[in-house]
């Protein structure tokens, strides 16, 4: 598994363009028709993380691999790809149709009160795929067509207009599937749970063998948050119905599954990155969570 695909990698692999220095262009944006980038003779989409955001309107049937999850989507689907989560999609139909756009977080710097990463479809644990009916497909396709047209124009304020089109897509999606993350945290327990989740997610994804998962227990998180472990546990339980330990274990096993499925790292290397002192401890933990050993899961 390649750790992260950069914009330079994208243009070199997809179009054979040696676009040196593009990663320094923090405000980069581009939009494409799917048929120009997929199909016979075009390289498949590799499973990896990217250093840029992507929004895609996919038509047809695809297997969609996102983190540790694999979904089959059919028809027209709008998908928001987060650079923090590795992904790929495998077409199951011969013809590739649709659109996608790519952009860096800095494309919105100074234009949103908070960053693009704080939007609900990019939040940890979100559901980033929106199945569309024919009318919705047409509406989103018109927006992508406007972006394609604008990219070919010499309008001096086209970046501002394109940002408006992206936000139109985002808000159109939110209307289809409202997200609970839109609601503000209403009490102290909810705020504690939100900060705990942020600290937990900040340690992922694991991208190299040298990474090491640090905050592994409720006590570790409580110390970081300047709370008593019992206070933290009560808050997490009240908000989510699960213990702090359960949340940590579920997130660790999710990352373990992703590493076992999509890297060639050996069990010792994976156990080290996930904070286990001995591979045997990791094996016992993984078996408790999944009823399989890591080696048996990989077979």
């Amino acid at each position: 598994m390649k750790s992260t695909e950069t914009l330079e990698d994208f243009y070199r692999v997809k179009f054979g363009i040696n676009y040196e220095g593009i990663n320094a262009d923090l405000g980069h944006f581009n939009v494409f028709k799917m048929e120009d980038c997929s199909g016979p003779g075009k390289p498949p989409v590799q499973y990896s993380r990217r250093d840029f955001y992507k929004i895609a309107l996919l038509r047809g049937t695809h297997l969609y691999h996102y983190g540790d999850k694999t979904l089959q989507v059919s028809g027209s689907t709008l998908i928001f790809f987060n650079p923090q989560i590795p992904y790929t999609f495998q077409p199951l139909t011969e013809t590739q149709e649709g659109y996608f756009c790519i952009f860096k977080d800095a494309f919105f710097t100074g234009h949103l009160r908070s960053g693009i990463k704080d939007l609900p479809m990019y939040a940890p644990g979100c559901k980033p795929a929106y199945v569309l009916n024919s009318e919705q497909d047409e509406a989103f396709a018109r927006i992508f067509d406007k972006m394609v047209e604008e990219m070919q124009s010499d309008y001096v304020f086209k970046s501002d207009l394109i940002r408006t089109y992206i936000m139109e897509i985002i808000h159109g999606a939110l209307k289809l599937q409202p997200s609970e993350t839109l609601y503000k945290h209403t009490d102290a327990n909810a705020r504690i749970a939100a900060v705990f989740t942020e600290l937990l997610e900040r340690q992922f994804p694991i991208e190299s063998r040298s990474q090491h998962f640090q905050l592994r227990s409720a006590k570790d998180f409580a110390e970081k948050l300047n709370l008593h472990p019992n206070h933290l546990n009560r808050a997490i339980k009240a908000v989510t119905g699960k213990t702090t330990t359960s949340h940590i274990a579920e997130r660790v096993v999710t990352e373990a599954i992703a590493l076992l499925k999509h890297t060639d790292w050996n069990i010792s290397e994976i156990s080290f990155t996930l904070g286990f002192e001995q591979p045997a401890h990791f094996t016992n933990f993984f078996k408790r969570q999944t009823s399989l050993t890591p080696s048996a899961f990989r077979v």
Side-chain angles (χ1 to χ4, degrees), residues 3-191:
S3 59
T4 304
E5 180 187 69
T6 65
L7 285 171
E8 287 177 343
D9 296 330
F10 170 80
Y11 283 102
R12 183 176 61 253
V13 172
K14 286 292 186 185
F15 304 105
I17 299 174
N18 189 14
Y19 207 157
E20 293 184 3
I22 193 172
N23 286 288
D25 181 8
L26 298 180
H28 183 80
F29 170 88
N30 213 339
V31 60
F32 306 89
K33 291 186 177 181
M34 195 69 68
E35 51 265 36
D36 295 334
C37 305
S38 305
K42 295 291 186 179
V45 178
Q46 298 297 318
Y47 181 88
S48 67
R49 298 171 178 91
R50 276 74 179 170
D51 71 349
F52 49 88
Y53 289 82
K54 180 177 180 181
I55 303 174
L57 175 60
L58 301 178
R59 292 166 175 157
T61 303
H62 300 79
L63 281 179
Y64 160 55
H65 308 285
Y66 194 84
D68 66 317
K69 299 178 177 62
T70 298
L71 305 172
Q72 181 170 320
V73 295
S74 298
S76 180
T77 310
L78 186 67
I79 305 180
F80 296 82
F81 294 99
N82 187 330
Q84 296 301 314
I85 301 175
Y87 66 83
T88 185
F89 58 90
Q90 175 187 348
L92 300 180
T93 48
E94 187 172 340
T95 304
Q96 297 298 294
E97 293 182 356
Y99 306 82
F100 69 92
C101 64
I102 58 174
F103 54 93
K104 302 280 275 190
D105 189 22
F107 185 64
F108 280 94
T109 300
H111 298 274
L112 288 177
R113 180 171 297 181
S114 56
I116 197 81
K117 65 181 180 297
D118 295 322
L119 291 168
M121 57 275 295
Y122 291 124
C126 69
K127 296 179 180 179
Y130 299 74
V131 177
L132 309 177
N133 61 33
S134 59
E135 291 182 358
Q136 293 161 346
D137 171 87
E138 290 178 8
F140 285 112
R142 282 196 296 271
I143 301 173
F144 275 101
D145 280 330
K146 289 179 182 179
M147 291 194 289
V148 170
E149 180 180 352
E150 210 54 55
M151 284 298 293
Q152 297 169 352
S153 78
D154 56 2
Y155 179 48
V156 67
F157 298 115
K158 67 181 180 182
S159 291
D160 292 329
L161 188 52
I162 286 169
R163 275 187 284 268
T164 301
Y165 291 147
I166 293 175
M167 293 310 298
E168 188 175 353
I169 291 173
I170 287 170
H171 285 292
L174 292 177
K175 287 181 179 180
L176 298 178
Q177 184 177 317
S179 171
E180 291 183 4
T181 57
L182 288 173
Y183 297 102
K184 294 182 179 180
H185 308 304
T186 56
D187 56 32
N189 285 344
R191 288 194 293 273

Side-chain angles (χ1 to χ4, degrees), residues 209-221:
R209 294 175 173 87
S210 61
Q211 270 184 263
H212 193 63
F213 181 49
Q214 298 290 335
L215 304 177
R216 298 198 66 252
S217 68
K219 181 181 178 182
D220 294 335
F221 281 93

